Amino acid sequence: MTQNLNGQLTDEEVLTIVNTVVLPKRLNSIQEIVLRLSLSGKTYEEIAMSSAYSIQHIRDVGYQLWQLLSEILDEKVTKKNVQSVVMQRLSELEDLEPKKRVKSSRLKMESLGKTPSNVHEENPKHPGGLIPVNSPLYIERPPLEQRCYEEILIPGALLRIRAPKQMGKTSLMTRILAHASTQGYCTARLNLSQADRAILADSDKFLRWFCVNVSRQLNLEPQVNNYWDEDLGSKVSCTTYFQGYILQQIRRPLVLALDEVDLIFEFPTVAQDFLPLLRFWYEEANNLEIWQNLRQIVVHSTEIYIPLNLNQSPFNVGVPVKLPEFTLEQVIKLAGCYGLNWCRKNPTKNALQLMELVGGHPYLISLALSHLSQENYTLEKLLEEAPTPTGIYGHHLRRHLNAIQENSELKTAIKRVVTASESVDLESIVAYKLDSMGLIKMSQNKIYPSCELYRLYFRQQLD
């Protein structure tokens, strides 16, 4: 694929990769305009002038586009870094054998305007990030989904979805929102990783950011300044904005989904203002009918580890939803979705061998099955190479290793866990952080590696 003098892909090639590799379906015309012109360095104002759309509409499309790409790629995407993030994803795909190279070959031909005659579309897509609602790769974990679909229809409902990273929380949340939409509900979802650190460090800025983004999700013109009152304070102003503007304007149930809520645990000032606000809105459904229209989904990776009054916490009310790992039967079912013949030939043996290494972790299982569906890649080879830097989990493991090495407490703690012959005790905040990464399991204050893959890899790397 051609690159410019700076070693980057052309704007059109980035657009092609996003449409054919990253996303389950092509961007619409206005999304393509925003992406293409953003890559060219245009501001939203310049994009609006050249496309005949309003500046507000362009901002809304841009916000939703970066949020969509962030969820799919499992990494924060902005106007400034979209080029580098897409290049990194392409590099990861081209490192895979052998069908991924077929994919990149097809992209090269497409960028030249050619149609390959002997290249087959890879199906299903490489796992990672959000699983689209219509994807056959989503494996239900009954009765989890049905329970969520029923609960979200209850006036004033609050669902708390908790699981370590890459367990399928966002994919479940997306299905709940889709179900709510079929009932005629409005939906809005915010990923708190999209908030800049400067915003997360200031309660007033954060609550304004929150109100503006929910408004845009609902195609409402933000009216924050009309409702913000310094004498009343940010929390009351935010509540007034929701009650007097958002809920009044839509006049029907609103499902508000908040992803990666645990990110604000690192910002206690904001957390101690915002989290009690969610609890207050939940309780207001018992006092004012209009608040019954607000249904909340709070998605987080670990238990709360900041001081918070029990009577103000949203994490001890509503309905808790904890995502379990895949069962043996679910792993075998997913193998069938990837076209493997495990259902006919030693299904239990093959699935158990894989699960002995990675447990029932959805992402780790899916990544393995994706590779096993490729020609000339055996389970024996996968198991042998998996805990090494060059195995299929190399990028995933290195990302965790880098995060651990940046924090001496986490490094010391995980080293203790993977080298111990039995479970260990850890300081609670450190344990919660490792738990959110999915590296450990906690049972009755005893801690051990969440799977053999992590034990083998980190024991080798940290020694």
Side-chain angles (χ1 to χ4, degrees):
M1 186 168 288
T2 57
Q3 297 184 346
N4 62 26
L5 295 178
N6 294 322
Q8 296 182 315
L9 300 173
T10 66
D11 298 347
E12 288 301 321
E13 287 173 338
V14 172
L15 181 60
T16 299
I17 294 169
V18 168
N19 273 329
T20 57
V21 175
V22 175
L23 298 179
K25 61 180 181 179
R26 292 184 64 89
L27 299 173
N28 60 36
S29 58
I30 183 60
Q31 288 173 322
E32 289 193 355
I33 290 172
V34 171
L35 177 56
R36 183 185 293 108
L37 296 183
S38 294
L39 289 166
S40 300
K42 301 293 185 183
T43 65
Y44 285 139
E45 289 82 357
E46 291 171 330
I47 297 173
M49 290 179 62
S50 64
S51 62
Y53 287 96
S54 70
I55 176 61
Q56 187 59 54
H57 184 60
I58 294 298
R59 289 185 185 276
D60 291 342
V61 171
Y63 171 81
Q64 294 169 9
L65 176 59
W66 311 135
Q67 186 175 50
L68 173 64
L69 291 174
S70 296
E71 292 173 349
I72 293 290
L73 295 171
D74 196 28
E75 182 174 349
K76 184 174 180 178
V77 177
T78 65
K79 285 181 66 178
K80 295 181 179 180
N81 74 354
V82 61
Q83 165 86 240
S84 60
V85 173
V86 170
M87 285 184 67
Q88 175 63 29
R89 175 50 60 92
L90 180 64
S91 175
E92 293 168 11
L93 294 178
E94 290 181 333
D95 285 341
L96 301 176
E97 295 285 350
K99 288 188 178 179
K100 294 298 179 181
R101 292 186 178 176
V102 172
K103 172 78 78 174
S104 63
S105 296
R106 177 176 61 77
L107 286 174
K108 291 178 183 178
M109 298 181 74
E110 284 184 351
S111 70
L112 296 173
K114 299 178 180 179
T115 303
S117 59
N118 61 344
V119 178
H120 299 282
E121 178 70 30
E122 183 182 4
N123 187 29
K125 291 178 71 68
H126 184 74
L130 173 70
I131 302 177
V133 172
N134 60 352
S135 172
L137 296 182
Y138 183 82
I139 300 297
E140 289 195 348
R141 286 169 264 193
L144 193 74
E145 287 81 5
Q146 189 58 40
R147 182 190 179 199
C148 291
Y149 298 156
E150 294 171 357
E151 290 289 344
I152 205 63
L153 302 184
I154 298 175
L158 189 155
L159 294 180
R160 296 182 283 113
I161 303 176
R162 186 179 80 82
K165 294 184 183 300
Q166 297 184 305
M167 283 286 290
K169 302 185 298 298
T170 303
S171 296
L172 173 61
M173 178 192 76
T174 301
R175 280 155 179 78
I176 299 172
L177 292 175
H179 177 73
S181 294
T182 66
Q183 306 299 309
Y185 291 7
C186 293
T187 63
R189 63 179 181 180
L190 294 181
N191 187 318
L192 298 194
S193 69
Q194 294 295 297
D196 295 338
R197 293 185 66 86
I199 291 174
L200 287 168
D202 185 291
S203 290
D204 186 73
K205 288 182 179 179
F206 176 79
L207 293 177
R208 281 174 169 270
W209 174 89
F210 177 75
C211 290
V212 168
N213 279 285
V214 172
S215 300
R216 289 177 176 171
Q217 289 268 322
L218 298 171
N219 293 319
L220 296 175
E221 185 71 24
Q223 300 285 344
V224 173
N225 290 334
N226 295 336
Y227 288 83
W228 228 254
D229 189 322
E230 291 184 2
D231 294 329
L232 292 177
S234 302
K235 290 191 291 184
V236 173
S237 297
C238 183
T239 298
T240 302
Y241 185 81
F242 259 77
Q243 180 178 324
Y245 182 56
I246 290 180
L247 296 178
Q248 284 285 355
Q249 288 291 318
I250 60 177
R251 293 188 174 277
R252 52 183 171 140
L254 164 64
V255 180
L256 175 61
L258 305 175
D259 204 357
E260 299 201 46
V261 171
D262 47 295
L263 285 177
I264 66 171
F265 296 172
E266 300 291 332
F267 301 87
T269 301
V270 169
Q272 290 169 0
D273 282 341
F274 179 60
L275 297 176
L277 202 56
L278 301 181
R279 167 72 174 261
F280 176 73
W281 294 347
Y282 168 76
E283 293 179 336
E284 277 295 90
N286 296 321
N287 303 319
L288 294 175
E289 184 176 351
I290 193 169
W291 283 102
Q292 294 180 4
N293 277 342
L294 179 64
R295 324 291 167 87
Q296 302 179 60
I297 305 175
V298 177
V299 182
H300 56 117
S301 297
T302 190
E303 298 289 357
I304 185 171
Y305 54 78
I306 60 171
L308 197 64
N309 188 312
L310 289 177
N311 295 322
Q312 295 181 324
S313 173
F315 297 103
N316 55 13
V317 294
V319 178
V321 180
K322 188 173 181 179
L323 269 65
E325 293 189 341
F326 284 161
T327 64
L328 177 63
E329 292 74 19
Q330 288 165 345
V331 172
I332 294 173
K333 180 178 179 180
L334 184 57
C337 294
Y338 276 98
L340 298 172
N341 63 354
W342 285 11
C343 295
R344 298 189 299 271
K345 183 180 179 181
N346 296 326
T348 302
K349 176 184 176 182
N350 292 330
L352 283 176
Q353 282 185 293
L354 179 57
M355 295 180 75
E356 284 175 4
L357 180 70
V358 299
H361 192 291
Y363 171 72
L364 300 179
I365 290 288
S366 298
L367 188 59
L369 296 178
S370 173
H371 283 76
L372 291 171
S373 68
Q374 301 172 17
E375 297 176 3
N376 303 321
Y377 197 82
T378 65
L379 180 59
E380 291 73 18
K381 182 178 180 181
L382 185 152
L383 296 175
E384 179 183 353
E385 298 177 346
T388 70
T390 57
I392 67 167
Y393 299 115
H395 175 72
H396 172 81
L397 294 169
R398 284 193 299 275
R399 180 163 56 84
H400 281 313
L401 181 62
N402 290 338
I404 287 170
Q405 289 180 329
E406 292 174 357
N407 186 313
S408 59
E409 288 185 328
L410 294 184
K411 182 177 179 180
T412 300
I414 194 63
K415 187 172 182 178
R416 280 189 59 204
V417 173
V418 300
T419 56
S421 57
E422 55 186 25
S423 62
V424 300
D425 295 319
L426 294 177
E427 193 273 326
S428 60
I429 293 181
V430 173
Y432 284 143
K433 289 181 179 180
L434 292 175
D435 174 51
S436 73
M437 298 168 72
L439 299 181
I440 63 171
K441 289 183 178 178
M442 298 188 292
S443 176
Q444 298 179 343
N445 296 323
K446 297 299 182 181
I447 297 167
Y448 49 92
S450 60
C451 65
E452 189 65 12
L453 173 69
Y454 295 145
R455 184 195 299 276
L456 294 173
Y457 177 79
F458 289 108
R459 178 185 291 173
Q460 180 185 38
Q461 295 299 315
L462 297 179
D463 279 346

